[in-house]
Amino acid sequence: MSSIGIFDSGYGGLTIFDKIQKALPRYDYTYLGDNARAPYGTRSFDVVCRFTRQAVMRLFREDCRLVILACNTASAKALRNIQQKDLPRLDPDLRVLGVIRPTVEAIDSISRTKHVGVLGTTGTIVSRSYDIEIKHLFPHITVTGEACPMWVPLVENNEYNSPGADYFIKKHLEHILTLDGAIDTLVLGCTHYPLLLDKIRSFLPPGVTPFPQGGRVAESLADYLSRHQEIDGRLTKQGRRRFLTTESVGKFSETASIFLHQSIEVEQITLTESLQ
Ligand code: DGL
């Protein structure tokens, strides 16, 4: 079986997985959440690279020949290293894709004012990956980033609907719109943030629209597979789903069912250093 591997530090990647499985239901998927070590957002470059590599190598050993980093922090910090250093050495037929590029590709057609805000983890914002990619593809767009370090812990701890969440959500939305009042599109540059979408919408002034990336990433993957038959042909399509977590099985299945609106079976794994 060669399934599509989907990786995130925790539960956030399930927002991407959900859109992908709806767009491409026949494929087999293996989801891996490194919940025991989440959040990644405030961790150093080296640590995010190391943890992400361990997860990707594990998914390769689970026979995933295509892995999606459904995590902006990992895409910002580890994707390039893995693509350039690991894949040519391991097997040039293996593929690892991130979520930042497909999100950025959609931005020009969405923003009217050409002033875009990016909300993300500290790691993603400090890496300036969105600024760099947007400037590269659309130099006429002005980009402002805002790190929201409390938002992932609110989701991971199931506190995202609490009144405490309101304070942190409002604080960062107000701040980014103070930095650039012409922003009309706010990219949710973290896969956990779609869970906060209703609250985010309720605090935004008219004319400012949040842009969650799941639908766009799914669309881009479908397009990629249709253009790369040699990769698509190796992927099995029996509608199977596996869920792996580094945390306890009970905790993961309980929270994941909130994300996916269905109950799931989960396996616990340990991630260690391995050169495959
Ligand atoms: N969901 C991840 C992202 O898209 C990161 C969450 C974390 O901080 O671990 O950036």
Side-chain angles (χ1 to χ4, degrees):
M1 155 174 171
S2 184
S3 58
I4 298 177
I6 303 209
F7 167 69
D8 181 46
S9 60
Y11 301 111
L14 293 170
T15 64
I16 302 284
F17 166 66
D18 197 35
K19 297 290 183 193
I20 291 178
Q21 70 163 349
K22 282 179 179 140
L24 300 163
R26 288 187 311 118
Y27 290 77
D28 297 328
Y29 296 96
T30 303
Y31 184 92
L32 168 51
D34 190 9
N35 300 75
R37 301 189 293 192
Y40 280 14
T42 44
R43 292 188 185 273
S44 68
F45 184 90
D46 286 350
V47 170
V48 173
C49 275
R50 185 154 53 84
F51 286 0
T52 304
R53 260 188 95 246
Q54 290 172 358
V56 169
M57 296 304 152
R58 175 62 189 243
L59 285 167
F60 287 159
R61 289 203 300 282
E62 297 293 338
D63 213 13
C64 299
R65 304 200 56 82
L66 168 64
V67 174
I68 313 294
L69 300 186
C71 173
N72 291 266
T73 312
S75 299
K77 295 189 171 193
L79 178 63
R80 188 149 302 171
N81 260 337
I82 293 172
Q83 284 176 334
Q84 292 178 354
K85 294 191 186 147
D86 292 314
L87 300 188
R89 174 179 62 80
L90 290 171
D91 178 347
D93 289 337
L94 295 170
R95 292 287 182 279
V96 181
L97 306 173
V99 287
I100 294 179
R101 180 74 183 207
T103 307
V104 166
E105 282 169 356
I107 278 173
D108 192 42
S109 59
I110 293 173
S111 172
R112 283 166 294 102
T113 62
K114 307 303 173 196
H115 285 250
V116 168
V118 179
L119 305 164
T121 65
T122 305
T124 298
I125 299 304
V126 169
S127 76
R128 304 194 67 248
S129 299
Y130 272 95
D131 313 42
I132 295 164
E133 290 277 356
I134 294 172
K135 280 279 162 264
H136 179 64
L137 288 185
F138 309 115
H140 55 283
I141 291 185
T142 302
V143 190
T144 305
E146 173 81 6
C148 312
M150 289 302 291
W151 290 14
V152 169
L154 287 170
V155 173
E156 288 284 316
N157 292 292
N158 209 359
E159 286 287 336
Y160 59 94
N161 267 326
S162 68
D166 292 12
Y167 170 81
F168 289 106
I169 294 171
K170 246 175 114 189
K171 173 180 163 177
H172 292 296
L173 295 178
E174 280 173 7
H175 186 243
I176 193 169
L177 294 176
T178 311
L179 295 177
D180 181 356
I183 288 173
D184 71 345
T185 305
L186 278 177
V187 177
L188 304 190
C190 171
T191 56
H192 283 67
Y193 296 176
L195 270 278
L196 306 171
L197 197 53
D198 288 344
K199 279 202 187 279
I200 292 173
R201 280 204 184 100
S202 73
F203 292 126
L204 285 178
V208 183
T209 311
F211 175 44
Q213 60 195 159
R216 175 60 202 140
V217 171
E219 221 173 79
S220 163
L221 178 61
D223 176 58
Y224 178 86
L225 292 175
S226 72
R227 286 185 291 108
H228 294 277
Q229 291 299 318
E230 74 290 359
I231 294 167
D232 187 66
R234 284 193 220 108
L235 299 169
T236 49
K237 300 173 185 78
Q238 292 170 9
R240 286 185 288 208
R241 276 93 178 105
R242 281 182 74 202
F243 295 90
L244 313 177
T245 178
T246 53
E247 244 297 344
S248 90
V249 160
K251 192 166 183 284
F252 186 91
S253 58
E254 193 185 313
T255 306
S257 56
I258 300 173
F259 280 75
L260 298 174
H261 313 289
Q262 69 185 81
S263 58
I264 55 167
E265 277 188 28
V266 186
E267 299 158 54
Q268 188 178 29
I269 58 150
T270 307
L271 291 177
T272 49
E273 217 66 68
S274 157
L275 296 175
Q276 222 212 4

